[in-house]
Amino acid sequence: MQDTLDGMPRKLFTCTPTRLDTWLSCPRKYRFTYLDRRQKGLPWAHNSVGSSVHNALRDWWSLPVDRRTPDSAEELVARGWLTDGFRDDGQSSEWCDRAAAMAASYVAGLDPVDEPAGVERTVATATHGMALSGRVDRIDRRRSDDGGDELVIVDYKTGRRTLDDDDAKSSLALAVYVVAARRTLRTRTRRVELHHLPSGTVAAHDHTEESLERHLGRAEAIAGEAAAADGAWRGGLSSRAEDAAQGDADAIEAIDAAFPPAPGPMCSWCDFRRHCPAGREVSTDLSPWDGLAG
Ligand code: SF4
């Protein structure tokens, strides 16, 4: 741990890649999510699909090997189906069937005896200023070219957009997981993969030491900004939140200076849109099921 000038150890900023991504995408959203804890809007149906499939794939690996079949994956999706956000029971049921088929098709391509090194495994690492941790969907153990063991970070995706190798390469979260998996599991790790279940495609990237260093440097820079804003919030800004909510212009200005809104196309999907005039101005009303593929 790095010491400060007065000799006292500096407190590490504890965070996840998601927290850093939230700061990067919109500091106001970051405040609403992690500090102000505003009430979110209605749950999204596409999140219900994603969570149901993720949970089923996690539980599939807990089954005895002879029950790790496509049928079991379908059953797990149906049994744990989350119904939030759908227009009605009919839409929910149709999507349950689609998600079950998607999970079954995906596991049909897996080897049930090839036990992963981790399933929804939490990995962690620390740098000069951050303590970073996150949960990885799956960590595979594979044989590398030189015959040794190598870990691969696998992230499941269930959204509409097909992903490419650049998505895998540019993902801060995946790069952080590589570094954290190395530290937690003490095994060589460099490859990251995005498994897009709806299309059955895999986007991948093999990180180098340089690319990991770049990602970690970027993570540290983002964490530095977020930590400074957190400090300002705890150091007095939080006490002005009530005034800001009542329309006090000075309080609003002070809070926005530390946590500026970043309105853009993603505002339509923001869980805190109803608390955010700047976001509402540039976005449109969506129904909770609008994120489902057609
Ligand atoms: S609506 Fe847009 S600007 Fe407002 S908090 Fe959400 S992402 Fe940020």
Side-chain angles (χ1 to χ4, degrees):
M1 185 180 289
Q2 186 172 311
D3 287 356
T4 53
L5 285 179
D6 62 6
M8 295 295 288
R10 190 170 71 178
K11 196 170 181 299
L12 294 179
F13 180 62
T14 303
C15 57
T16 61
T18 306
R19 186 169 180 141
L20 297 181
D21 274 339
T22 305
W23 173 267
L24 201 57
S25 68
C26 178
R28 177 180 282 179
K29 182 178 177 185
Y30 175 94
R31 170 167 69 89
F32 288 160
T33 307
Y34 297 103
L35 304 174
D36 220 357
R37 308 254 179 205
R38 294 291 179 96
Q39 196 174 13
K40 291 184 175 181
L42 293 170
W44 299 98
H46 61 273
N47 286 345
S48 293
V49 174
S51 298
S52 300
V53 170
H54 275 74
N55 292 344
L57 294 180
R58 175 198 63 206
D59 295 344
W60 190 80
W61 286 107
S62 305
L63 296 172
V65 170
D66 62 350
R67 289 191 50 218
R68 292 178 190 167
T69 62
D71 284 351
S72 295
E74 280 191 339
E75 279 167 31
L76 287 168
V77 171
R79 201 183 313 150
W81 186 243
L82 300 166
T83 56
D84 288 335
F86 293 97
R87 186 181 53 228
D88 50 35
D89 288 351
Q91 189 186 46
S92 172
S93 169
E94 179 201 329
W95 272 91
C96 179
D97 291 346
R98 286 172 74 159
M102 185 162 71
S105 160
Y106 178 70
V107 303
L110 300 178
D111 180 352
V113 299
D114 190 7
E115 209 72 47
V119 174
E120 292 210 354
R121 172 78 194 243
T122 296
V123 291
T125 191
T127 67
H128 296 306
M130 304 177 290
L132 265 169
S133 65
R135 204 167 50 185
V136 184
D137 288 341
R138 199 175 86 215
I139 304 176
D140 283 353
R141 190 182 298 278
R142 300 197 196 144
R143 187 66 45 168
S144 62
D145 296 342
D146 63 7
D149 265 2
E150 189 165 326
L151 302 180
V152 176
I153 303 297
V154 174
D155 195 34
Y156 303 135
K157 294 291 177 193
T158 59
R160 286 195 281 205
R161 190 170 77 84
T162 309
L163 300 144
D164 61 26
D165 292 350
D166 275 345
D167 292 305
K169 180 182 179 181
S170 62
S171 166
L172 179 74
L174 293 180
V176 165
Y177 293 152
V178 167
V179 177
R182 283 179 179 181
R183 187 172 184 277
T184 305
L185 298 167
R186 308 262 171 225
T187 307
R188 181 165 48 170
T189 316
R190 62 197 166 102
R191 187 173 180 81
V192 297
E193 293 183 351
L194 293 166
H195 290 202
H196 185 246
L197 273 66
S199 64
T201 57
V202 173
H205 181 67
D206 290 318
H207 275 293
T208 61
E209 297 312 307
E210 292 73 30
S211 67
L212 291 173
E213 220 167 274
R214 271 198 304 277
H215 274 294
L216 271 195
R218 189 162 153 256
E220 286 220 310
I222 302 166
E225 289 179 14
D230 278 26
W233 181 256
R234 282 194 307 275
L237 267 187
S238 61
S239 66
R240 308 197 64 191
E242 193 54 49
D243 294 339
Q246 302 299 324
D248 180 322
D250 285 347
I252 292 171
E253 194 179 319
I255 291 174
D256 280 353
F259 301 92
M266 78 291 186
C267 291
S268 298
W269 302 99
C270 177
D271 286 327
F272 303 102
R273 185 170 166 266
R274 70 190 170 117
H275 303 294
C276 180
R280 281 200 304 277
E281 236 172 66
V282 301
S283 58
T284 52
D285 286 331
L286 293 175
S287 298
W289 52 88
D290 278 347
L292 297 171

